[in-house]
Amino acid sequence: MRELELYYGPQHLGMVGNFSLTLQVEGDKILKASANPGYLHRGFEKLMEKRSWIKNFPMVCRINVIEPDSMEMIYSMGVEKLAGIEVPERAHFIRSIFLELARVGSHLFGLWAYANMLGFDTVAQWAMYHRDLVLDLFEELTGGRVYHIYIWPGGVRRDFPEGFKDKIVKTLHTIGGCVPDYDSTFFNNRLFYERACNVGKVSRAEAMEMGGVGQVIRATGMAYDIRKVEPYAAYDRVPWNVPTRKEGDAFSRIWIVRDEMIESVHMIFKLLDEMPEGNVYNRIPNPFKWRIPEGEAYVRCESSRGELGLYMVSDGGKEPYRAHFRTPSYSHGLTVLEKALEGANISDVGNIMMSLYVVAPEIDR
Amino acid sequence: MDRNQLKKWFQNPVKMAHKYSLHVVYFCTGCGIIEIPPSITARWDAERFGIIPVATPRQASLFIIAGYVSLKTLRSIIRTYEQMPEPKFTVSLGSCPINGGMYYDSYNTIKHLEKYIPVDGMIAGCMPRPEAIFVGVTHLWTLIDKDMADGYKRYRSNYSAYRANQEKILGKLEWPPLFPIHGEE
Amino acid sequence: MLKQELETTFDNITIRMEKKNQLELSITKDGIMSVLSFLKNKGYDHLHVISCVDWIDDKQLELVYILSAYMKQDVPGETEQLNILLKTRIGRDDPKYITSIALFPAAEPYEREIHEMFGVDFLGHPRLTPLLLERDYDIPPFRKDFDTKQYVDDVFGSVPSVEGEDKN
């Protein structure tokens, strides 16, 4: 049969954002795939070298549009490690609750994209509605729907307003009450099983070799989660589990997303119960004259897509000398995706890409 | 349907049909796209305004350019825009297409979108909320009513200048010109 | 223990551990591959990132390999999760280095990006094609002597407005 070169994206219904693929196909079988990122490249790491430490906050949260909060967290952690700033205990708890809410919102967005792509429009509409309820919480707390700039070096920007705890509980109960509906319509649906089982298989050895993190490696049975491996914020204060599965295909990756959401909700309840009283913010030096001592730091945290890292160098100046983000989608969207697409069917491209949870702005930065 | 508008429907049915069935190109050009899924789903429901995303630019009449435009995206934006049938309207979301926004010193994003393709309306904000998108669309209705949403006509008449600007930034474009290019006057 | 083993195995290696969970190793440029394979055999098999820093005053580029173990149980005798920063410096003019894809396949896109952004040639890399950028730049854009503001004024500022009324 004749070989063809097929361009997939960026203007395409089955695409994860602004990203494209070049596929070598024979019939409808993919022989070779090469990813083509760069449609969203803004040169953040270069721009950050020209802005002061505090002015970088609006920059970093725009790297991952779907979950900006883990980006703020990682940058705050980097600044705190370089400058040696301590964070109050209550701020640790608020940070964890905030990040877990963001994880729920981000997973619901991912579920929207995945369900929409498979044709489960009803589930997609529900997921997007429930995400909006989480965004309402963020809006009340920080004033922004999408970008919050809430986590700062030294703590968080403000304490929870009065009655906010009850609102979190109420919203999470609303979302959690719909889990049986989600299960019966989507997760336990035979169509979803037929469509996603044994699609886009990544074995554990392959995933480890190619730098897989997050759902990709947890779907192969390894409980690799930075919140457990290298605990930060208040994640070591409460008991919780890392959901894993054995198969390593699209089906198990999406099931892990579901289990993680439920685990996050339970974790938020536990954190709310154990939250201590006190200060939420340690004063930092005047941000306009702030100089951070010479040194370098590598910090990492768990975003909703996997391990997120930041390598930051300071030369004692007002701006970072160099910052480099290690984003989970970088290895998932370039190496793992190219490997998983080899030998797959054209109709499964969107399925594999969405289940790997690739976000294009994270790759391009 | 509003009964007061019945007269308009009889006078100019084509324009009214364009106005109330805006088909959007499904193209996530930037971070503004994060507010598009909420607006087209149950809570904000853009179909009340006749807005619905479609699969290909050949069926579309509205191009929402969501957020900053990097150079690589500009190339595909121009191709997509040229594939759309007339009449076609362009709305940009966010501060970045207006003057570069927070990426004013980035080497890879363009600063003024209207220098490369015609833009009918610009919605400011970072991000514009779903309400802002709907306000922008209702403004676009007014513009269509008054024949002021004429970006595609301006593109046709100034095509040489637009194409020159595009080639200045992107280098020689690999596809043939959409309209005949006039020489230097 | 890792510290002592590294000191006995390799000669010119500097080891610092100032911050928590962070081990900084510096070595001359021919030693990197042997240290990488040594660490990989020890169980540090997760390459997080390859980064590059432009030290323009020293006229050098610094390559930073950051790696750790996936699980600390994989490494015998390991008590805490350790992030290892392995650093080497290469000349800034016409920089060349060897690829580490044979050891870590995950290194491929990182090396491609460093080639594009800093102009480092990785010998033996199968495809050093452009990854993110559209235009050609005289100086690779992440180097310190590339002035973004000046570049923006030169390139984007010189594009004229199309229609007359936009000018005022």
Side-chain angles (χ1 to χ4, degrees), chain C residues 3 9 11 16 21-23 26 30 34 41 54 65 70 93-94 104 106 110 116 124 128 131 133 140-141 148 153 156:
Chain C
K3 213 170 161 181
T9 322
D11 301 332
R16 289 195 303 164
N21 296 349
Q22 187 173 316
L23 186 73
S26 305
D30 15 297
S34 47
N41 291 335
D54 182 7
Y65 294 74
Y70 260 110
D93 309 318
D94 192 24
F104 293 101
Y110 296 114
E116 192 173 28
L128 283 177
L131 182 73
L133 298 178
T148 46
D153 291 344
F156 299 103

Short mmCIF file of all heavy atoms in Angstrom, two decimals, chain C residues 3 9 11 16 21-23 26 30 34 41 54 65 70 93-94 104 106 110 116 124 128 131 133 140-141 148 153 156:
data_model
loop_
_atom_site.label_atom_id
_atom_site.label_comp_id
_atom_site.label_asym_id
_atom_site.label_seq_id
_atom_site.Cartn_x
_atom_site.Cartn_y
_atom_site.Cartn_z
N LYS C 3 28.38 10.08 48.25
CA LYS C 3 29.39 11.12 48.18
C LYS C 3 30.79 10.49 48.18
O LYS C 3 31.63 10.80 47.34
CB LYS C 3 29.22 12.02 49.40
CG LYS C 3 29.56 13.46 49.17
CD LYS C 3 29.11 14.26 50.37
CE LYS C 3 29.84 15.57 50.40
NZ LYS C 3 29.45 16.37 51.57
N THR C 9 35.74 7.23 43.07
CA THR C 9 35.72 6.75 41.70
C THR C 9 36.25 7.79 40.71
O THR C 9 36.97 7.46 39.78
CB THR C 9 34.30 6.34 41.29
OG1 THR C 9 33.66 5.73 42.40
CG2 THR C 9 34.31 5.39 40.12
N ASP C 11 38.17 11.50 39.73
CA ASP C 11 39.17 12.42 40.25
C ASP C 11 38.60 13.82 40.42
O ASP C 11 37.97 14.14 41.39
CB ASP C 11 40.39 12.44 39.31
CG ASP C 11 40.99 11.05 39.20
OD1 ASP C 11 40.82 10.30 40.17
OD2 ASP C 11 41.58 10.73 38.17
N ARG C 16 29.07 19.44 46.40
CA ARG C 16 28.53 20.37 47.40
C ARG C 16 27.14 19.92 47.77
O ARG C 16 26.39 19.45 46.92
CB ARG C 16 28.46 21.79 46.83
CG ARG C 16 29.80 22.44 46.64
CD ARG C 16 29.63 23.92 46.45
NE ARG C 16 28.75 24.21 45.32
CZ ARG C 16 28.18 25.39 45.12
NH1 ARG C 16 28.40 26.37 45.96
NH2 ARG C 16 27.40 25.59 44.08
N ASN C 21 18.02 18.02 50.17
CA ASN C 21 17.72 17.11 49.06
C ASN C 21 18.45 17.46 47.78
O ASN C 21 18.00 17.09 46.71
CB ASN C 21 16.23 17.13 48.69
CG ASN C 21 15.37 16.62 49.80
OD1 ASN C 21 15.88 16.08 50.75
ND2 ASN C 21 14.08 16.79 49.66
N GLN C 22 19.53 18.19 47.82
CA GLN C 22 20.09 18.69 46.57
C GLN C 22 21.59 18.50 46.58
O GLN C 22 22.30 19.10 47.38
CB GLN C 22 19.73 20.17 46.43
CG GLN C 22 20.10 20.75 45.11
CD GLN C 22 19.57 22.16 44.98
OE1 GLN C 22 18.44 22.48 45.33
NE2 GLN C 22 20.42 23.05 44.52
N LEU C 23 22.07 17.64 45.70
CA LEU C 23 23.50 17.33 45.65
C LEU C 23 24.05 17.92 44.36
O LEU C 23 23.61 17.59 43.28
CB LEU C 23 23.68 15.80 45.65
CG LEU C 23 25.10 15.28 45.73
CD1 LEU C 23 25.67 15.49 47.11
CD2 LEU C 23 25.12 13.81 45.39
N SER C 26 30.14 19.04 40.21
CA SER C 26 30.76 19.70 39.06
C SER C 26 31.93 18.86 38.60
O SER C 26 32.66 18.33 39.41
CB SER C 26 31.28 21.09 39.44
OG SER C 26 30.27 21.83 40.00
N ASP C 30 34.87 16.16 29.95
CA ASP C 30 34.94 14.78 29.44
C ASP C 30 34.41 13.76 30.44
O ASP C 30 34.23 12.60 30.10
CB ASP C 30 36.36 14.41 29.02
CG ASP C 30 37.38 15.38 29.54
OD1 ASP C 30 37.27 16.55 29.13
OD2 ASP C 30 38.24 15.01 30.36
N SER C 34 30.67 9.32 31.90
CA SER C 34 30.98 8.23 32.83
C SER C 34 30.25 8.42 34.15
O SER C 34 29.75 7.46 34.75
CB SER C 34 32.49 8.13 33.06
OG SER C 34 33.02 9.40 33.31
N ASN C 41 23.59 3.27 36.86
CA ASN C 41 23.75 1.92 37.40
C ASN C 41 23.47 1.87 38.89
O ASN C 41 23.08 0.84 39.41
CB ASN C 41 25.17 1.41 37.13
CG ASN C 41 25.38 1.18 35.65
OD1 ASN C 41 24.41 0.94 34.93
ND2 ASN C 41 26.60 1.27 35.20
N ASP C 54 23.84 30.37 30.60
CA ASP C 54 24.83 31.14 29.86
C ASP C 54 25.58 32.04 30.85
O ASP C 54 25.04 33.05 31.29
CB ASP C 54 24.12 31.96 28.78
CG ASP C 54 25.09 32.74 27.94
OD1 ASP C 54 26.30 32.52 28.13
OD2 ASP C 54 24.65 33.54 27.11
N TYR C 65 22.63 18.57 34.18
CA TYR C 65 21.83 17.35 34.09
C TYR C 65 21.23 17.12 35.47
O TYR C 65 21.96 16.97 36.43
CB TYR C 65 22.69 16.15 33.70
CG TYR C 65 23.28 16.23 32.31
CD1 TYR C 65 24.33 17.08 32.04
CD2 TYR C 65 22.78 15.45 31.28
CE1 TYR C 65 24.86 17.15 30.78
CE2 TYR C 65 23.31 15.51 30.01
CZ TYR C 65 24.36 16.37 29.77
OH TYR C 65 24.88 16.44 28.51
N TYR C 70 13.64 7.10 40.65
CA TYR C 70 12.18 7.14 40.63
C TYR C 70 11.65 6.90 42.04
O TYR C 70 10.84 7.64 42.55
CB TYR C 70 11.63 6.09 39.67
CG TYR C 70 11.23 6.65 38.35
CD1 TYR C 70 11.95 6.37 37.21
CD2 TYR C 70 10.14 7.49 38.26
CE1 TYR C 70 11.59 6.90 36.00
CE2 TYR C 70 9.78 8.02 37.04
CZ TYR C 70 10.50 7.72 35.92
OH TYR C 70 10.15 8.25 34.73
N ASP C 93 32.06 29.93 22.54
CA ASP C 93 32.18 30.10 21.09
C ASP C 93 32.21 28.72 20.45
O ASP C 93 33.03 27.88 20.79
CB ASP C 93 33.46 30.86 20.76
CG ASP C 93 33.55 32.14 21.58
OD1 ASP C 93 32.52 32.81 21.72
OD2 ASP C 93 34.64 32.43 22.10
N ASP C 94 31.33 28.51 19.50
CA ASP C 94 31.21 27.24 18.79
C ASP C 94 31.12 26.06 19.76
O ASP C 94 31.97 25.19 19.78
CB ASP C 94 32.42 27.08 17.85
CG ASP C 94 32.19 25.92 16.88
OD1 ASP C 94 31.01 25.60 16.66
OD2 ASP C 94 33.18 25.37 16.40
N PHE C 104 19.97 7.92 28.27
CA PHE C 104 18.64 8.37 28.66
C PHE C 104 17.89 8.81 27.40
O PHE C 104 18.10 9.90 26.90
CB PHE C 104 18.73 9.57 29.62
CG PHE C 104 19.30 9.24 30.95
CD1 PHE C 104 20.61 9.55 31.25
CD2 PHE C 104 18.53 8.63 31.92
CE1 PHE C 104 21.14 9.25 32.48
CE2 PHE C 104 19.06 8.33 33.15
CZ PHE C 104 20.36 8.64 33.44
N ALA C 106 15.07 9.94 27.23
CA ALA C 106 14.29 11.13 27.55
C ALA C 106 15.05 12.40 27.23
O ALA C 106 14.46 13.48 27.17
CB ALA C 106 13.91 11.11 29.02
N TYR C 110 15.18 17.63 25.12
CA TYR C 110 15.91 18.67 25.85
C TYR C 110 17.14 19.11 25.08
O TYR C 110 17.44 20.30 24.99
CB TYR C 110 16.31 18.14 27.23
CG TYR C 110 15.14 17.83 28.12
CD1 TYR C 110 14.88 16.54 28.52
CD2 TYR C 110 14.30 18.84 28.55
CE1 TYR C 110 13.80 16.25 29.32
CE2 TYR C 110 13.22 18.56 29.34
CZ TYR C 110 12.97 17.27 29.73
OH TYR C 110 11.90 16.99 30.51
N GLU C 116 18.64 24.61 19.91
CA GLU C 116 17.92 25.71 19.28
C GLU C 116 18.10 27.01 20.06
O GLU C 116 18.28 28.08 19.48
CB GLU C 116 16.44 25.35 19.22
CG GLU C 116 15.64 26.25 18.35
CD GLU C 116 14.23 25.74 18.20
OE1 GLU C 116 13.77 25.07 19.12
OE2 GLU C 116 13.63 26.02 17.16
N GLY C 124 26.10 13.29 17.41
CA GLY C 124 25.44 11.99 17.51
C GLY C 124 23.96 12.06 17.75
O GLY C 124 23.30 11.05 17.87
N LEU C 128 18.59 17.20 14.96
CA LEU C 128 18.71 18.53 15.59
C LEU C 128 17.96 19.55 14.76
O LEU C 128 18.49 20.58 14.36
CB LEU C 128 20.19 18.91 15.74
CG LEU C 128 20.94 18.23 16.87
CD1 LEU C 128 22.39 18.63 16.87
CD2 LEU C 128 20.32 18.58 18.22
N LEU C 131 12.73 23.04 16.85
CA LEU C 131 11.65 22.47 17.65
C LEU C 131 10.56 23.51 17.89
O LEU C 131 9.39 23.26 17.59
CB LEU C 131 12.22 21.98 18.98
CG LEU C 131 11.26 21.30 19.94
CD1 LEU C 131 10.90 19.93 19.43
CD2 LEU C 131 11.89 21.16 21.31
N LEU C 133 10.98 27.26 17.37
CA LEU C 133 11.03 28.59 16.76
C LEU C 133 10.63 28.56 15.29
O LEU C 133 10.75 27.54 14.62
CB LEU C 133 12.44 29.17 16.90
CG LEU C 133 12.90 29.38 18.32
CD1 LEU C 133 14.31 29.91 18.33
CD2 LEU C 133 11.99 30.34 19.05
N PRO C 140 21.37 32.81 19.10
CA PRO C 140 20.31 31.98 19.69
C PRO C 140 19.61 32.73 20.82
O PRO C 140 20.28 33.33 21.67
CB PRO C 140 21.07 30.76 20.20
CG PRO C 140 22.28 30.69 19.38
CD PRO C 140 22.65 32.09 19.04
N PRO C 141 18.28 32.72 20.86
CA PRO C 141 17.56 33.70 21.69
C PRO C 141 17.73 33.58 23.19
O PRO C 141 17.50 34.57 23.88
CB PRO C 141 16.09 33.47 21.31
CG PRO C 141 16.05 32.23 20.57
CD PRO C 141 17.38 31.98 20.00
N THR C 148 15.96 41.07 23.77
CA THR C 148 14.62 40.87 23.20
C THR C 148 13.95 42.19 22.86
O THR C 148 13.31 42.31 21.84
CB THR C 148 13.71 40.12 24.18
OG1 THR C 148 13.84 40.67 25.45
CG2 THR C 148 14.04 38.68 24.21
N ASP C 153 11.71 45.83 18.79
CA ASP C 153 11.61 47.14 18.16
C ASP C 153 12.05 47.07 16.70
O ASP C 153 11.44 47.68 15.83
CB ASP C 153 12.47 48.15 18.92
CG ASP C 153 11.88 48.46 20.28
OD1 ASP C 153 10.70 48.12 20.48
OD2 ASP C 153 12.59 49.00 21.14
N PHE C 156 9.28 43.92 14.81
CA PHE C 156 7.83 44.16 14.81
C PHE C 156 7.50 45.64 14.69
O PHE C 156 6.47 46.00 14.15
CB PHE C 156 7.21 43.57 16.07
CG PHE C 156 7.40 42.10 16.20
CD1 PHE C 156 8.34 41.57 17.05
CD2 PHE C 156 6.65 41.24 15.43
CE1 PHE C 156 8.52 40.22 17.16
CE2 PHE C 156 6.83 39.87 15.52
CZ PHE C 156 7.77 39.36 16.38
#
